[in-house]
Amino acid sequence: MSSINPHFQFQKAIDPSVEALMDGILHQNLSALSKAITLVESGLPNHRGMANELIDRLLPFTGKSQRIGITGVPGVGKSTFIETFGLKLIEKGHRVAVLAIDPTSSISHGSILGDKTRMNSLATHPNAFIRPTPSGGNLGGVHRKTRESILLCEAFGFDRILVETVGVGQSETAVHHMTDVFLLLLLSGAGDELQGIKRGIMEMADLLVIHKADGENQSKAERAMAEVKSAIRLFPTPPSGWSPQVQTLSSIEQLGFDSLFQQLESYFNHSITQGFFDFNRKEQSISWMKDALGDALFFWLENQPQFHERWKTQEEKVLLQQKSPFSAVSEILQSYLPQ
Ligand code: GDP
């Protein structure tokens, strides 16, 4: 088997035409969805064109989900939470897709979500879809892949999209910019509740959950909740006009989920009736467009003749401090623009 060229296998894996992928997705064929996501993750120029066409044609079927961002430091219990939360959403009749942004995965050459022991029951449920983190490429590219995957999952019929950030401070803003509601999981502990969480991230959260509020931890969690409540009172009102809510929760003991579902319902009622939901989605589309411009430009450049040589030459000059990064980039661009 080792003689098989993995690149060939990859090519073969996304061989179906845009038409076939579209048809498969609209007929809820999971393998078509997986292949379509592989296509949006591909770095090959002809795949990019196919991916754009596929997404354009599927657009009328997208948008009808709640996009829920979930973050928290490693170890806070995100995967345990998502497993319980996801199964409860399914019990309520929803179909759940879980996507993740992990800025470290291109460095570690593997993704945390790729670990099969995570979210086992959810991963094998017929009404759930868990996609490992896209790895490789620049951060902007990783974000684009996740955004496009959201649209593909919506076209398929998933009506709850959970976007998890597995990062430690780099990807929260990106997740905030691609979701409708932002949920921050926190840990209770001896005064270190807010440790490791930047104020900016707390300010983005619509719902703050003190996690692992069970057993001996319960009273600590209550104290942490009071502390967080008083800390966020000093924050400016978010653009949604929603007052962020704080609660305790245990995924293992399954405590606090009723309240979480109520809060989510209140949030969406507020957001929709106040017009924020639509406003935010439109703003996000424009911001995706701006990001896509930068991404497309980079992609185009990367595929120009001698780009890598020219980049290397300029990179050396920057490292030797003979040139600023700005003029190095300008020189590369100039060399491809008509004079
Ligand atoms: P992640 O790194 O944020 O995805 O965290 P994990 O979901 O892998 O959980 C980290 C550890 O916290 C594991 O040992 C879990 O068993 C534990 N954990 C997760 N949720 C809870 C909870 O609700 N209560 C308690 N006591 N432990 C939990």
Side-chain angles (χ1 to χ4, degrees), residues 287-301:
S287 123
W288 292 14
M289 193 175 152
K290 286 182 186 156
D291 289 354
L293 176 67
D295 202 32
L297 202 58
F298 195 81
F299 188 74
W300 177 79
L301 274 170

Side-chain angles (χ1 to χ4, degrees), residues 4 38 42 81 156-157 159 218 263 298 322-323:
I4 293 176
T38 305
S42 163
F81 167 77
F156 185 96
D159 64 346
Q218 207 146 4
Q263 290 299 350
F298 195 81
Q322 292 169 352
K323 226 175 214 178

Side-chain angles (χ1 to χ4, degrees), residues 73-80 118 164 211-212 214 250-252:
V73 294
V76 72
K78 288 183 297 300
S79 44
T80 315
R118 286 182 105 225
E164 174 189 11
H211 199 211
K212 307 192 190 179
D214 45 48
S250 163
S251 294
I252 287 184

